[in-house]
Amino acid sequence: RQIPSAAWALLLLLAIYPMFTDLFWSVENFINLGQQTTVLAILSLGMTLVILSEGIDLSSGALVSLCGVVVGVYLHWGGSLVGAVLVSIGVGVCVGVINGFFVSVPRLPPFVVTLGTMGMCQGLALVITRGASIPGFSESFKYIAAGFIFGIPFPVLIAALMFLLTYVMLYHTRFGTYIFSIGGNEEALRLAGVNAVFHKTMIYVVAGAFGGVGGLIMTSRMNAAHPWVTVGMEFDAIVAVVLGGTSFTMGKGNPIGSLIGAITIAVLKNGMNILGVPTALQVAFVGLFLILAVIYDSLKSD
């Protein structure tokens, strides 16, 4: 009962894909898979915090694109690598503050608020770039996505660090306890004298910062900033979290399951890319996985 549906789905994919292609188990493909998974994994960790609090963040995919665009402009203006990191995370934090404020203070529906900021992020990215990409960065910036440390891709190490940060935050800090409490019974938390408004806002701020890290890695990986590159990635992140066993109610879930869910979605798309499956069908399969995960969790809880 404790095993998320993502684990079974991942095992199934690892068993099926090698039957159709020998390229799946190649070292090159697994390195490529690790690099492809990192942005989705980081977004999924941030989405886990939001969904644990009975919220949702539809702006995360567009936020990654906006962060990448702002970083691209900053670097072309002669900015430093450290400055690029701070700028990307700063943009994510600003969007997170907007989301958190309107969800927590006037208590607007998270779906409506984050749908609005999704449009804002996409619009700003398009205005800044005029719909075109911003290519060409330094070798030190490209190292963020293409570098290796002891044979391990650098973005994988970043994702591992973000997972560790999320795990410690949830299970070894008071803030993590409040996240579960907001999802379980927010009113009880208020009656206990805890500033639920502040902590709920901070959940979206942290998720926004995670989006900033994702934008940095994605821009480095493509060696270009593009306003449309991660449109729809919020859908993959939500599916990964649900596959990982996180529930939209009662503050139930964990980051380990979400990480497995992100790997499952990445493996699903990677295998279909190798097999030449059209992108439209890939989206359909991800949606099918979401429905099957909900059915599985429903049957498991009975």
Side-chain angles (χ1 to χ4, degrees), residues 174-196:
R174 188 171 296 178
F175 178 55
T177 303
Y178 294 156
I179 292 175
F180 285 107
S181 300
I182 290 172
N185 192 334
E186 184 177 348
E187 188 59 32
L189 193 65
R190 295 177 190 275
L191 294 175
V194 176
N195 189 345

Side-chain angles (χ1 to χ4, degrees), residues 12-13 43 50 78 95 159 163 165 265 282:
L12 181 64
L13 292 173
L43 282 189
V50 173
V95 175
F163 169 78
L165 176 64
I265 298 299
Q282 293 184 25

Side-chain angles (χ1 to χ4, degrees), residues 84-222:
V85 174
L86 295 177
V87 164
S88 187
I89 295 176
V91 172
V93 167
C94 289
V95 175
V97 169
I98 296 172
N99 286 335
F101 174 82
F102 285 105
V103 169
S104 305
V105 179
R107 306 188 74 173
L108 299 177
F111 180 90
V112 175
V113 173
T114 58
L115 184 64
T117 50
M118 177 181 72
M120 290 169 55
C121 290
Q122 287 181 350
L124 284 173
L126 284 170
V127 168
I128 293 171
T129 62
R130 298 181 181 179
S133 61
I134 304 174
F137 301 114
S138 65
E139 290 298 321
S140 59
F141 182 75
K142 289 191 288 185
Y143 183 86
I144 294 175
F148 289 81
I149 295 181
F150 301 113
I152 303 174
F154 189 58
V156 174
L157 294 177
I158 296 176
L161 179 62
M162 300 300 288
F163 169 78
L164 181 62
L165 176 64
T166 305
Y167 189 88
V168 172
M169 186 190 308
L170 280 176
Y171 297 106
H172 297 281
T173 68
R174 188 171 296 178
F175 178 55
T177 303
Y178 294 156
I179 292 175
F180 285 107
S181 300
I182 290 172
N185 192 334
E186 184 177 348
E187 188 59 32
L189 193 65
R190 295 177 190 275
L191 294 175
V194 176
N195 189 345
V197 170
F198 171 77
H199 290 96
K200 197 169 187 177
T201 302
M202 286 304 300
I203 291 171
Y204 286 89
V205 171
V206 172
F210 278 36
V213 175
L216 198 69
I217 296 173
M218 179 62 75
T219 306
S220 173
R221 193 177 88 195
M222 296 184 63

Side-chain angles (χ1 to χ4, degrees), residues 13-35:
L13 292 173
L14 293 177
I16 290 177
Y17 278 145
M19 297 179 184
F20 296 95
T21 174
D22 295 331
L23 297 176
F24 182 76
W25 285 112
S26 66
V27 175
E28 293 81 4
N29 184 54
F30 266 75
I31 292 175
N32 182 47
L33 181 61
Q35 293 173 330

